[in-house]
Amino acid sequence: MDNLTPQDLFSPSKARQQRAQAADWAQIDSWLSYKYAGRIVPTFERNEETLKVLRELSLANERADEERMIMERVEREACKELEADEAARNPEHVKILETIKAHLTAEGAESLAALASTAVALDTTSTNPETLAHALIAHTSMSQTLTNNIAHIQALQRYLDRQQSLLRAQLHELQSNPAFSVPSSLQRQTTEHARQIKHLRAKIREYEDKLASLEHSQARTAATPASKSVSSAEAIADMLEQQTALSALRESVEELEKEVDEYAGLPADRDAARKEVGRLEVELDNVRRRRDALFEGLVG
């Protein structure tokens, strides 16, 4: 709490963070004092990284102590169970077993030990040869299945490693090859095309309004019998010229819209457009590889 600044005193979050760190340091100091058992704790720099490492170390030490205590408790319980089994054994049976062992030959003792160790290894409660054979077959089958699964997983891992190396190479190619980079003038060209389209659409509406006005004037002139003169022919010629200009403007707008549609799927930001082009190139490459694989399969 000594490193609190005047600004932190007015910030509840900063003050709460400082209190939490102080509590953590107090816990770490207590743990180090217990571990060093009266010896002097070495000095070290007190910062957030050191606190994080010491906290993880203390948690790992606590888990290790808990695991050791559990193992010791399990060992004590196992020893008690073994002692109880030894005490519960029938003295007559023990005497008979000792007598049999004493009269066995070296091969017989070795065979008896082998039979007992096989039963223990196979985790069977019977020493019947048929039972041991079935258990041995089951263990062998399980071992072979696990071996095949491990081999399959290893082959899959090698395939994934190769695919990862290939993808990394393709990613490096996409990032370093200038052919896959988006032109720097793409955003400017798109903005210019959009501005031209907007301007041409306004012109089209203007000419459509003029054309409608001329058609209305022509219809009104045609309704008057005495108005058929040269002026109507000039109006018609003017109207035809404007219609021709309107058609030319429409074609120009359509061409510009086609050029803009080519960039319709790309974002306006240059870096984002470059990433999108790279992703599409990767998809194209995958499709080409699948096509080549299908073609090779058909040829084969």
Side-chain angles (χ1 to χ4, degrees), residues 2 8 10 24 26 46 49 95 101 104 109 112 121 124 138 148 164 172 179 187 199 208 223-224 232 254 269 272 294:
D2 296 337
D8 295 338
F10 298 97
D24 291 339
R46 292 176 177 266
E49 295 181 357
K95 185 177 180 180
K101 287 183 178 180
L104 283 176
L112 181 61
T124 58
N148 293 335
Q164 183 182 15
H172 179 71
Q187 185 175 1
H199 176 70
E208 286 178 347
T224 305
S232 62
E254 290 177 357
D269 184 63
L294 293 174

Side-chain angles (χ1 to χ4, degrees), residues 27-253:
Q27 183 180 0
I28 293 299
D29 292 336
S30 176
W31 175 69
L32 290 175
S33 300
Y34 172 75
K35 286 299 178 182
Y36 277 87
R39 293 175 295 170
I40 299 175
V41 179
T43 59
F44 53 88
E45 184 180 357
R46 292 176 177 266
N47 51 36
E48 293 184 1
E49 295 181 357
T50 306
L51 177 62
K52 180 181 178 181
V53 173
L54 289 176
R55 191 187 300 116
E56 293 177 355
L57 182 61
S58 64
L59 292 176
N61 187 263
E62 291 178 0
R63 287 195 297 268
D65 291 341
E66 292 177 357
E67 292 177 358
R68 186 180 69 254
M69 292 174 60
I70 292 173
M71 291 294 296
E72 291 177 355
R73 184 168 64 251
V74 171
E75 290 178 357
R76 287 195 300 269
E77 292 177 356
C79 290
K80 289 181 181 179
E81 290 180 359
L82 290 175
E83 292 174 357
D85 291 340
E86 289 290 337
R89 293 175 64 182
N90 192 341
E92 293 295 332
H93 294 170
V94 175
K95 185 177 180 180
I96 293 173
L97 180 60
E98 295 296 335
T99 303
I100 292 174
K101 287 183 178 180
H103 290 80
L104 283 176
T105 61
E107 291 185 359
E110 185 177 357
S111 299
L112 181 61
L115 183 63
S117 61
T118 302
V120 172
L122 296 176
D123 194 18
T124 58
T125 58
S126 175
T127 57
N128 186 1
E130 185 176 355
T131 303
L132 294 177
H134 284 294
L136 181 60
I137 291 172
H139 280 72
T140 304
S141 177
M142 179 64 69
S143 176
Q144 185 63 34
T145 302
L146 293 176
T147 302
N148 293 335
N149 291 337
I150 291 173
H152 176 70
I153 292 173
Q154 289 175 350
L156 182 60
Q157 180 66 34
R158 290 193 296 270
Y159 172 75
L160 292 177
D161 291 339
R162 291 195 300 269
Q163 291 297 319
Q164 183 182 15
S165 301
L166 179 62
L167 290 175
R168 288 184 180 276
Q170 292 178 352
L171 178 61
H172 179 71
E173 177 70 15
L174 291 173
Q175 292 176 347
S176 59
N177 193 343
F180 299 111
S181 61
V182 179
S184 58
S185 60
L186 176 62
Q187 185 175 1
R188 181 178 57 80
Q189 292 176 357
T190 305
T191 305
E192 182 66 21
H193 287 324
R195 188 187 63 80
Q196 292 180 2
I197 289 174
K198 183 178 180 180
H199 176 70
L200 291 176
R201 284 178 177 172
K203 287 291 185 181
I204 289 174
R205 286 194 297 270
E206 180 182 353
Y207 287 132
E208 286 178 347
D209 293 338
K210 289 183 178 180
L211 180 61
S213 176
L214 289 173
E215 289 177 349
H216 180 68
S217 299
Q218 182 181 5
R220 188 171 54 188
T221 304
T224 305
S227 62
K228 295 181 180 180
S229 61
V230 182
S231 60
S232 62
E234 293 177 354
I236 292 173
D238 189 12
M239 182 183 64
L240 292 175
E241 290 178 359
Q242 291 183 359
Q243 187 173 3
T244 303
L246 179 62
S247 300
L249 285 174
R250 285 179 178 174
E251 292 177 358
S252 178
V253 169

Side-chain angles (χ1 to χ4, degrees), residues 252-268:
S252 178
V253 169
E254 290 177 357
E255 292 177 358
L256 288 175
E257 287 180 346
K258 290 179 181 179
E259 292 180 2
V260 173
D261 289 340
E262 295 179 358
Y263 304 99
L266 296 177

